[in-house]
């Protein structure tokens, strides 16, 4: 029996609109800012390999499962889980999965917006020509000046949050589709250009080897690689579920998931190939942390032909990519307020926006006055400040946990007749997905969790 339900928030105009919006959610700071710096911190090679495995064996099956749950439920993740649990005659505490996602999205956006603020400020820094002919030291001190000044960071964080709230208040479907259609290919093109520059540095091979030649890795780094697979594909917190709920019934979910995962992974690998050669060409260390792209790419912009224009365009597109991701981070919460509290979208967006902005202050201060206010959690992290802690807890614990429960619900608790009907794909693909999501994915997530806390050794 098909569910006769339809989302009250409207629907995408078709398959392409969904793929674009979900790609907009997936491609963001995670690909261009986070992937290179965490790969750099964990020695490249093996880390990148583990990440790629996680995308293929964990990410894609969970993405299919998450979109499927969303489309079947046709509501915000909390209400979708309530509806599906009752449809499948399961315990009603499955709504907690929806809540876990809302909290994760709120926590992530609070720091995501601060970093997006850095990208915003770099549009103007690059535009002013201050990087022309700059040395690694010069670029480094420009970055340190920015992050050590809480007022500046606060201003940019505020601007970015307002931008996000405006779009969410208007409804995510207006304009997103058209904008993503031409901005994504442009971002792609610019990354290729920067990779082209990286090839002229004489250190391309070194950067390439750093990314792809396996070395040593420990359990915690494996958890970080897996957490990043969830983060970069926007999985485990309901963003992809809520986008799935706006998906018309006629669309193939499996093909869409492959397309999104491929686009997302390509952007991340290109970002790495653009950045690491610049790192080595300038005698920098790859483990600089969250400032990595801001301390390397400007060197390229300062030296390449037309660098100012290319640099400005690059940061504009990076802000845009962050924007389309940020929107999806609070959409589950806003959709819930509209459904359950009868609020208008505008009201709901302002509410959530203000709360997120407030929490973001903690991350603003993490790069200056609270930088050294750190603590440690045995096995998991050492000397983490507010920002580090939020980042670790959301990406490496909450998202994989959310994903694990999504896999369990979709492949163990949902009747096969329901998932088969919703996915409506070739029998072989269905079987493959079902097998992976039932056995491989949950076991892999559990093993990674256990190895991170030292229970097993990989
Ligand atoms: N996928 C986004 C990125 O890579 C971040 C994100 C995570 C967005 C979770 C939505 C949900 O930047």
């Amino acid at each position: 029996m098909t569910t006769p339900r339809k989302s009250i928030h409207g629907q995408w105009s078709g398959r392409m609109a969904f793929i674009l919006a979900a790609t907009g959610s997936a491609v963001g700071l995670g690909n261009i800012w986070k992937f290179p710096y965490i790969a750099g911190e964990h020695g490249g090679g093996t880390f990148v390999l583990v990440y790629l495995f996680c995308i293929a064996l964990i990410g894609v099956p969970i993405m299919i499962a998450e979109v499927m749950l969303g489309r079947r439920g046709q509501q915000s993740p909390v209400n979708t889980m309530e509806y599906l649990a009752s449809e499948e005659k399961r315990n009603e505490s499955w709504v907690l999965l929806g809540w876990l996602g809302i909290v994760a999205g709120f926590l992530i956006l609070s720091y995501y917006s601060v970093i997006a603020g850095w990208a915003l400020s770099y549009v103007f820094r690059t535009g002013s020509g201050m990087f022309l002919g700059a040395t690694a030291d010069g670029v480094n001190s420009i970055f340190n000046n920015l992050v050590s000044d809480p007022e500046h960071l606060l201003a940019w964080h505020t601007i970015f949050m307002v931008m996000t709230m405006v779009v969410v208040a208007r409804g995510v479907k207006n304009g997103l589709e058209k904008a993503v259609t031409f901005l994504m290919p442009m971002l792609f093109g610019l990354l290729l250009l920067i990779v082209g520059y990286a090839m002229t540095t004489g250190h391309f091979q070194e950067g390439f080897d750093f990314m792809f030649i396996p070395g040593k890795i420990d359990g915690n780094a494996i958890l970080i690689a897996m957490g990043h697979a969830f983060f970069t594909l926007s999985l485990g917190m309901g963003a992809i579920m809520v986008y799935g709920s706006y998906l018309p019934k006629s669309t193939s979910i499996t093909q869409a998931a492959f397309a999104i995962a491929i686009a997302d992974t390509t952007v991340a690998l290109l970002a790495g190939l653009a950045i690491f050669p610049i790192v080595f060409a300038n005698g920098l260390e790859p483990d600089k942390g969250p400032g990595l792209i801001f301390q390397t790419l400007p060197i390229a912009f300062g030296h390449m032909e037309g660098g100012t224009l290319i640099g400005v365009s690059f940061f504009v597109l990076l802000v845009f990519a962050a924007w389309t991701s940020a929107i999806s981070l609070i959409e589950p919460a806003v959709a819930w307020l509209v459904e359950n509290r009868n609020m208008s979208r505008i009201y709901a967006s302002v509410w959530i926006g203000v709360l997120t902005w407030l929490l973001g202050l903690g991350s603003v201060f993490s790069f200056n006055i609270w930088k050294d206010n750190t603590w440690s959690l045995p096995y998991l992290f050492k000397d983490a400040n507010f920002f580090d802690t939020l980042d670790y807890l959301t990406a490496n614990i909450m998202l994989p946990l959310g994903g694990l429960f999504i896999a369990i619900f979709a492949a163990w608790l949902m009747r096969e007749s329901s998932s088969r009907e919703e996915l409506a794909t070739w029998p072989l693909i269905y079987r493959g997905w079902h097998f992976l999501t039932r056995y491989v994915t949950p076991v892999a997530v559990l093993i990674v969790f256990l190895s991170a806390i030292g229970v097993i050794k990989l």
Side-chain angles (χ1 to χ4, degrees):
M1 196 190 70
T2 355
T3 36
R5 313 160 57 77
K6 206 167 164 193
S7 167
I8 60 163
H9 309 280
Q11 287 202 331
W12 304 113
S13 57
R15 180 168 90 117
M16 213 42 210
F18 167 75
I19 294 185
L20 287 170
T23 308
S25 166
V27 175
L29 295 174
N31 307 61
I32 294 171
W33 160 74
K34 192 170 179 190
F35 171 72
Y37 98 72
I38 54 176
E41 281 179 339
H42 297 99
T46 311
F47 181 89
V48 176
L49 218 67
V50 174
Y51 153 81
L52 291 174
F53 263 106
C54 292
I55 294 279
L57 290 180
I58 303 178
V60 173
I62 291 188
M63 178 172 291
I64 294 174
E66 191 169 337
V67 178
M68 174 187 81
L69 298 183
R71 185 168 70 183
R72 201 161 178 82
Q74 293 283 305
Q75 300 167 71
S76 71
V78 170
N79 292 330
T80 281
M81 287 317 298
E82 182 178 282
Y83 171 78
L84 292 179
S86 97
E87 187 184 59
E88 303 294 330
K89 305 197 176 45
R90 301 294 174 184
N91 194 308
E92 52 196 44
S93 19
W94 277 96
V95 292
L96 292 178
L97 176 56
W99 283 111
L100 175 74
I102 288 197
V103 175
F106 163 69
L107 298 180
I108 294 174
L109 184 58
S110 78
Y111 68 80
Y112 201 84
S113 163
V114 175
I115 311 293
W118 297 1
L120 255 176
S121 85
Y122 266 66
V123 171
F124 299 94
R125 277 156 205 261
T126 314
S128 74
M130 64 163 62
F131 295 123
L132 285 177
T135 58
D137 280 344
V139 168
N140 192 20
S141 79
I142 291 174
F143 176 75
N144 287 330
N145 276 342
L146 171 72
V147 296
S148 60
D149 178 355
E151 280 172 31
H152 264 103
L153 293 191
L154 184 60
W156 294 114
H157 163 55
T158 311
I159 297 174
F160 187 80
M161 274 313 302
V162 172
M163 286 167 53
T164 304
M165 279 150 54
V166 168
V167 178
V168 177
R170 295 182 54 217
V172 294
K173 287 171 295 295
N174 300 337
L176 192 59
E177 189 177 338
K178 275 181 233 96
V180 177
T181 318
F182 74 98
L183 289 168
M184 280 292 155
M186 266 170 72
L187 179 64
F188 207 78
L190 272 185
L191 274 173
L192 281 178
L193 252 176
I194 307 173
V195 173
Y197 169 83
M199 285 177 168
T200 67
T201 58
H203 290 259
F204 188 76
Q205 189 66 38
E206 211 177 324
F208 187 91
D209 291 350
F210 178 78
M211 274 180 73
F212 296 109
I213 296 195
K216 276 212 314 266
I217 195 163
D218 62 24
N220 198 274
I222 294 178
L223 175 62
I224 294 172
M226 179 181 77
H228 188 64
F230 282 91
F231 185 87
T232 190
L233 293 176
S234 305
L235 294 178
M237 54 69 61
I240 286 296
M241 198 186 287
V242 82
Y243 276 12
S245 74
Y246 307 149
L247 186 62
K249 287 281 177 195
S250 53
T251 313
S252 158
I253 293 177
T254 43
Q255 285 172 10
F258 278 109
I260 298 161
I262 289 172
D264 187 80
T265 309
T266 313
V267 172
L269 294 179
L270 281 180
L273 289 176
I275 286 161
F276 290 116
I278 303 176
V279 168
F280 296 120
N282 291 281
L284 303 171
E285 294 301 324
D287 60 354
K288 275 183 164 312
L292 186 68
I293 67 162
F294 299 95
Q295 288 161 296
T296 50
L297 291 183
I299 306 176
F301 300 142
H303 291 273
M304 67 207 269
E305 192 80 38
T308 302
L309 182 66
I310 295 175
V312 170
S313 324
F314 173 81
F315 284 115
V316 167
L317 290 169
L318 180 59
V319 168
F320 185 82
W323 198 8
T324 53
S325 302
I327 292 165
S328 71
L329 280 163
I330 47 170
E331 179 64 14
V334 170
W336 182 81
L337 283 177
V338 172
E339 284 163 11
N340 291 50
R341 290 285 174 271
N342 228 342
M343 274 192 198
S344 68
R345 278 196 78 91
I346 300 186
Y347 222 68
S349 318
V350 171
W351 256 109
I352 312 264
V354 169
L355 286 180
T356 315
W357 177 84
L358 268 178
L359 186 69
L361 298 184
S363 294
V364 163
F365 298 143
S366 297
F367 296 95
N368 34 71
I369 49 182
W370 289 357
K371 193 171 172 180
D372 300 319
N373 288 359
T374 57
W375 65 302
S376 304
L377 210 59
Y379 297 112
L380 296 181
F381 50 76
K382 241 179 58 203
D383 301 329
N385 60 28
F386 187 89
F387 159 80
D388 301 326
T389 309
L390 272 193
D391 173 39
Y392 195 97
L393 286 183
T394 51
N396 305 333
I397 311 282
M398 295 175 86
L399 299 185
L401 213 56
L404 177 65
F405 285 121
I406 288 172
I408 292 176
F409 190 88
W412 287 93
L413 302 183
M414 201 166 180
R415 282 162 299 171
E416 277 196 50
S417 55
S418 308
S419 53
R420 199 184 288 275
E421 173 191 84
E422 201 59 47
L423 289 178
T425 182
W426 294 321
L428 197 66
I429 297 204
Y430 177 81
R431 287 252 61 89
W433 167 79
H434 199 257
F435 177 81
L436 280 178
T437 316
R438 203 175 163 106
Y439 301 106
V440 180
T441 307
V443 173
V445 175
L446 277 176
I447 291 180
V448 175
F449 272 142
L450 292 179
S451 86
I453 54 173
V455 176
I456 49 174
K457 256 215 131 22
L458 287 181

